[in-house]
Amino acid sequence: GAGVSQSPRYKVAKRGQDVALRCDPISGHVSLFWYQQALGQGPEFLTYFQNEAQLDKSGLPSDRFFAERPEGSVSTLKIQRTQQEDSAVYLCASSSHRDTTTEAFFGQGTRLTVV
Amino acid sequence: AQSVTQLGSHVSVSEGALVLLRCNYSSSVPPYLFWYVQYPNQGLQLLLKYTSAATLVKGINGFEAEFKKSETSFHLTKPSAHMSDAAEYFCAVSEILGGGFKTIFGAGTRLFVKA
């Protein structure tokens, strides 16, 4: 596609509910990243995929969070038993290369509000 | 681990005035540095990047940044602010992971432009 697409744009979940956030990266992009951006903060790294392999998940805040990219394209970030502190914008980004000099292209994010 | 520090969470300038947004990095290896801009309810957009080719980097929308190793700085400047420059700006550095990389963001600086 023309850009990174995320859905839904907005999600309101009741505390304890499970949610799934979707990311469609730019076609052919090898690298995919998930970030969490709390209000007034910079994006915080959650996890990184290279094709279908999850190479780093050190930023996932708890075992309630997990992400997958089974076919090396679309990715889903799942949050189980949501808590109020999970409220944030979740950003997905993709990149065409494996090296550090290549910028990542970001989607518009999914704003999750847990009530 | 690599990191960036943005000095000043808010900067206010008058339209037509110089814009200066400060960023200092911490890195044990030659860094790859980026500036991203985020408009309200939007994802992040790359302004410019430093990849060791030239210390003065020109980006989009009239912005530029100078890499100063002696000061471990990568400040963002624009000679004349425009109302449309009002946004959140993030300095970032790439950190190598095993088999890939991730981008580490600063906390951001919100730029206000007064008429």
Side-chain angles (χ1 to χ4, degrees):
Chain A
V4 179
S5 178
Q6 292 186 246
S7 61
R9 286 293 312 278
Y10 304 91
K11 176 70 178 177
V12 178
K14 292 184 177 180
R15 193 173 60 178
Q17 185 179 354
D18 297 350
V19 297
L21 312 180
R22 179 187 169 103
C23 173
D24 282 86
I26 293 173
S27 179
H29 275 194
V30 170
S31 301
L32 185 145
F33 309 84
W34 283 100
Y35 288 84
Q36 180 190 59
Q37 187 176 21
L39 189 64
Q41 300 296 316
E44 295 283 344
F45 172 81
L46 293 177
T47 186
Y48 163 61
F49 290 86
Q50 194 174 99
N51 297 307
E52 69 279 0
Q54 189 175 21
L55 297 188
D56 189 298
K57 54 181 180 180
S58 61
L60 296 177
S62 76
D63 59 6
R64 296 185 295 103
F65 287 70
F66 68 94
E68 58 186 9
R69 193 186 186 199
E71 298 179 359
S73 55
V74 171
S75 177
T76 304
L77 176 67
K78 298 181 179 179
I79 309 173
Q80 297 178 320
R81 305 182 302 281
T82 52
Q83 303 295 315
Q84 284 192 318
E85 61 263 28
D86 300 334
S87 295
V89 175
Y90 291 85
L91 296 169
C92 176
S94 70
S95 177
S96 60
H97 293 90
R98 297 179 177 85
D99 69 270
T100 58
T101 64
T102 305
E103 72 268 24
F105 294 84
F106 283 80
Q108 292 183 298
T110 295
R111 182 178 297 277
L112 172 65
T113 304
V114 181
V115 298
Chain B
Q2 301 184 35
S3 65
V4 290
T5 302
Q6 293 184 242
L7 303 176
S9 59
H10 297 85
V11 170
S12 182
V13 301
S14 297
E15 192 174 22
L18 172 70
V19 175
L20 172 60
L21 304 182
R22 300 178 186 272
C23 173
N24 288 87
Y25 68 89
S26 172
S27 174
S28 59
V29 298
Y32 296 113
L33 296 161
F34 306 81
W35 274 99
Y36 283 84
V37 61
Q38 186 177 36
Y39 298 101
N41 298 315
Q42 298 293 316
L44 281 76
Q45 179 184 5
L46 181 73
L47 276 178
L48 49 82
K49 64 179 179 180
Y50 167 75
T51 59
S52 76
T55 57
L56 182 62
V57 182
K58 293 187 183 298
I60 62 171
N61 301 339
F63 284 93
E64 62 182 36
E66 186 173 8
F67 173 73
K68 291 186 177 181
K69 185 177 180 179
S70 61
E71 299 177 6
T72 62
S73 69
F74 190 57
H75 301 330
L76 181 70
T77 61
K78 182 174 179 177
S80 176
H82 192 272
M83 296 296 287
S84 61
D85 294 327
E88 186 96 23
Y89 292 81
F90 294 96
C91 182
V93 63
S94 280
E95 177 173 293
I96 296 174
L97 303 171
F101 70 98
K102 63 184 179 184
T103 304
I104 308 298
F105 289 88
T109 297
R110 183 166 294 277
L111 177 64
F112 297 92
V113 182
K114 300 174 291 185

